[in-house]
Amino acid sequence: MRLFGAVMALVAGLVTVAAPGPVAAASLYAVPKYAAILINSDTGEVLYARQADAQRFPASITKVMTLYVAFQELKYGNIREGDSIRISSVAARQPPSKLGLKPGSTITVREAMGVIATRSANDIAVALAEHIAGSEAEFSARMTREARRLGMSRTTFANATGLPNGGHVTTARDIATLSRALIRDFPKRYPMFSQVAFEYEGQQIGNHNHLLRTLPGVDGIKTGFTNAAGFTLAASAAHDGVRLIAVVLGGPNRMMRDGNVSDLLDTGFSVLTRRSRGDYTTVAANFAEPDDLSDSIMDRLASEDPAAEGLVMGTQPRPMQRRN
């Protein structure tokens, strides 16, 4: 709860400079897009869930599955880290965040995975998808098949990036399932999501997951943002041989999303420690929900530059269709 406390302190400071007079209260948990889950990665136990099975737009967390499929292809020997990926005109036209390579230029598979995990480069994600499957559409179908195999029953992938698409949906529970599977199935590849920065041709490509720098124990995995999705984050942390995974979708801004994930992880580890001492308790019983924020403060926090998340705001997609 360390980072979350700092966030709320900052919010308190903002309140002091807000315009006087009554304002309507709004809570993080009243945000329609919000969903969250906390699981024990080792046992699969769900420690906390809120709207965990409600379909949401994942934004760039999508790229966890993009890289999961790439890791599979490396394992099967179908591609190699040193293979060159040619950038197509389709890939080059993708909106930011992107690396900005021109059509016809090349990048290795290893480099591609590094900039996808850190900068969340949409152009490189599409190029990697085309390299593996021939087209992004075929690759997306492969992603959805893998989702079903892993038990992600309410997830459908329509692209390799997470850019706005009305049919590209998931749930907080499904993202936790995916995160757990990647850590379990590719433990030697997972550290790619732990890099604070990835070096590409002399550039330091920074990771958009700020918790890697601010919350001890966090070592992955992926952030995201679009207008439709809000601010999304799947994060994993390990303490004393125990690993937890927290997923928050639909945050109204980066600070509140990061604070919520931090609070979930801190509370989860605290609860497990108390249980080990014979004090049975739950995360829900100990999880302090954020204080209500005025609409003016919510707007101010949400006014951060979304480009810091490495994703495009994009257009609002068509309403998602409920799937049984």
Side-chain angles (χ1 to χ4, degrees):
M1 285 178 263
R2 295 177 292 275
L3 178 60
F4 190 68
V7 171
M8 295 313 296
L10 174 60
V11 170
L14 289 172
V15 171
T16 63
V17 299
V23 291
S27 168
L28 171 63
Y29 297 104
V31 176
K33 300 173 185 176
Y34 179 79
I37 195 168
L38 176 71
I39 68 168
N40 184 324
S41 182
D42 305 312
T43 66
E45 178 188 2
V46 176
L47 298 170
Y48 179 87
R50 195 177 186 107
Q51 298 277 56
D53 295 308
Q55 286 187 317
R56 299 286 187 261
F57 300 116
S60 210
I61 290 180
T62 295
K63 296 184 180 83
V64 176
M65 180 60 89
T66 304
L67 290 177
Y68 184 94
V69 173
F71 295 163
Q72 283 185 322
E73 292 295 288
L74 287 165
K75 178 181 178 180
Y76 300 153
N78 295 331
I79 61 174
R80 296 171 297 179
E81 288 192 20
D83 289 348
S84 291
I85 299 172
R86 184 168 296 278
I87 306 300
S88 70
S89 59
V90 173
R93 286 197 302 269
Q94 298 302 306
S97 176
K98 61 196 298 181
L99 196 58
L101 299 186
K102 295 180 179 179
S105 57
T106 61
I107 185 172
T108 68
V109 168
R110 185 190 71 83
E111 292 169 333
M113 294 188 302
V115 297
I116 290 169
T118 52
R119 178 169 289 181
S120 199
N122 294 319
D123 52 350
I124 306 305
V126 172
L128 179 61
E130 293 172 338
H131 181 75
I132 290 173
S135 71
E136 187 181 15
E138 287 297 321
F139 188 83
S140 301
R142 163 83 176 272
M143 293 168 72
T144 300
R145 290 195 298 271
E146 288 301 323
R148 294 293 178 274
R149 183 183 66 83
L150 294 173
M152 301 166 64
S153 62
R154 295 182 63 78
T155 295
T156 299
F157 293 110
N159 56 52
T161 60
L163 289 168
N165 184 301
H168 189 99
V169 294
T170 191
T171 68
R173 190 185 305 275
D174 280 0
I175 292 298
T177 296
L178 171 59
S179 301
R180 185 186 183 207
L182 188 141
I183 295 167
R184 178 194 67 223
D185 297 344
F186 299 103
K188 293 182 179 179
R189 298 284 181 185
Y190 173 65
M192 182 170 294
F193 294 94
S194 306
Q195 301 172 104
V196 173
F198 176 79
E199 184 173 349
Y200 173 72
E201 295 193 345
Q203 303 177 58
Q204 290 296 313
I205 308 296
N207 197 315
H208 295 128
N209 185 354
H210 299 271
L211 296 190
L212 293 171
R213 305 176 184 87
T214 60
L215 191 65
V218 170
D219 55 15
I221 75 175
K222 197 73 188 71
T223 66
F225 170 80
T226 64
N227 271 347
F231 289 79
T232 65
L233 173 61
S236 183
H239 283 295
D240 299 324
V242 177
R243 176 173 293 280
L244 301 182
I245 296 170
V247 177
V248 167
L249 305 178
N253 55 74
R254 179 178 66 80
M255 292 176 65
M256 292 183 72
R257 177 204 64 189
D258 289 0
N260 193 212
V261 168
S262 299
D263 209 15
L264 281 168
L265 290 170
D266 276 349
T267 305
F269 284 118
S270 175
V271 163
L272 292 180
T273 297
R274 290 171 60 183
R275 284 185 184 178
S276 70
R277 297 171 180 166
D279 178 15
Y280 182 78
T281 186
T282 66
V283 170
N286 292 272
F287 187 54
E289 295 188 356
D291 295 335
D292 282 350
L293 303 178
S294 70
D295 290 338
S296 62
I297 298 304
M298 293 274 281
D299 290 343
R300 183 174 299 190
L301 287 172
S303 69
E304 298 175 331
D305 181 6
E309 285 302 306
L311 270 175
V312 66
M313 297 186 73
T315 57
Q316 193 81 5
R318 296 181 303 276
M320 69 181 75
Q321 298 298 315
R322 288 285 180 182
R323 291 172 172 78
N324 295 324

